[in-house]
Amino acid sequence: MTLQEPEKSNDLLNRLQQGDKLAYEKIYLSFSKELLYAAYKKTGDKVVAEELVQNIFISLWEKRLDLQINNLQAYLFGALKLSVINHVRSLVMENKYMEYQTLTYSEDHQDTANLVDLHDLSSIIEEGINSLPEKTQEVFRLSRYQHQSTKDISTGLNISEKAVEYHITRSIKRIKEYIKNFYIFF
């Protein structure tokens, strides 16, 4: 039921700008079905199509005083085209945001899980070190935690460099076994 005569359309536009609700209703009744059909074809979603068309008519009423419309049908379908583009753009942005959230959540979750695992592993290693003989513990801590060279440890503890190497090798081997046994237990 599109308005065919430009005079009728111009008359309705003039009345609309003056706040005539009957003119607004006639415009709505003349174009809403065609707009709804076009919106549905573009979006594939009846609810979205109805919302887009409704927003076009709300905007037409709210901006009626400022609008300079030469062709009402072209204006309404142009507004629909822009509404569909904006809708699609917002969907794309929403999808990107959801992907970002999913990635961020899984990265945060993974980081947290990694931190928990690292903390657990550190605790297990510390238990393994504590299970070593006292001299081996001391050599291991000086070597791995204080980053002292074999020569410095040898001098500081007044033992041979071979003894330092023996303690380090022994401690690493025992800690590996301790970790392995711990994880097999769990």
Side-chain angles (χ1 to χ4, degrees):
M1 187 176 157
T2 304
L3 294 172
Q4 298 298 328
E5 300 171 31
E7 295 84 31
K8 270 190 173 180
S9 180
N10 287 339
D11 178 52
L12 285 174
L13 281 171
N14 289 335
R15 289 174 38 207
L16 173 70
Q17 286 181 324
Q18 295 170 6
D20 185 339
K21 290 182 181 177
L22 287 176
Y24 177 72
E25 267 184 52
K26 279 190 176 185
I27 293 170
Y28 179 83
L29 291 173
S30 297
F31 292 102
S32 62
K33 286 183 183 174
E34 279 185 74
L35 287 168
L36 187 58
Y37 177 74
Y40 179 73
K41 273 179 57 177
K42 298 286 185 192
T43 64
D45 186 328
K46 185 179 178 190
V47 174
V48 170
E50 288 172 349
E51 186 178 328
L52 294 176
V53 171
Q54 181 181 9
N55 288 340
I56 289 169
F57 281 103
I58 289 171
S59 176
L60 178 68
W61 178 257
E62 289 175 347
K63 297 178 181 179
R64 69 185 181 277
L65 297 174
D66 301 323
L67 294 175
Q68 299 296 320
I69 301 172
N70 294 325
N71 181 332
L72 183 59
Q73 185 173 2
Y75 171 81
L76 292 173
F77 280 91
L80 177 63
K81 182 179 178 180
L82 288 174
S83 294
V84 169
I85 289 170
N86 287 335
H87 172 71
V88 170
R89 186 178 295 144
S90 72
L91 286 178
V92 168
M93 293 306 292
E94 184 178 327
N95 287 340
K96 284 183 180 180
Y97 177 74
M98 294 300 283
E99 286 174 22
Y100 170 77
Q101 285 293 88
T102 302
L103 285 173
T104 303
Y105 172 76
S106 73
E107 286 173 3
D108 288 349
H109 181 69
Q110 201 170 22
D111 288 347
T112 303
N114 288 342
L115 284 174
V116 168
D117 289 345
L118 183 60
H119 178 66
D120 290 346
L121 183 59
S122 296
S123 297
I124 294 164
I125 291 171
E126 193 59 37
E127 287 175 24
I129 293 169
N130 291 335
S131 73
L132 297 170
E134 195 173 313
K135 186 62 107 181
T136 306
Q137 282 185 44
E138 188 176 9
V139 170
F140 181 82
R141 290 180 197 284
L142 290 170
S143 170
R144 295 302 190 246
Y145 293 161
Q146 296 180 13
H147 309 288
Q148 291 186 15
S149 68
T150 303
K151 187 175 185 174
D152 291 341
I153 296 170
S154 161
T155 305
L157 295 178
N158 200 22
I159 57 175
S160 70
E161 288 184 35
K162 284 283 185 197
V164 171
E165 290 172 5
Y166 166 78
H167 285 293
I168 291 172
T169 304
R170 183 176 175 202
S171 60
I172 290 172
K173 185 177 178 184
R174 291 270 310 270
I175 292 169
K176 281 182 181 180
E177 287 174 8
Y178 190 84
I179 292 169
K180 183 178 170 186
N181 289 336
F182 184 83
Y183 277 108
I184 287 172
F185 177 72
F186 280 102

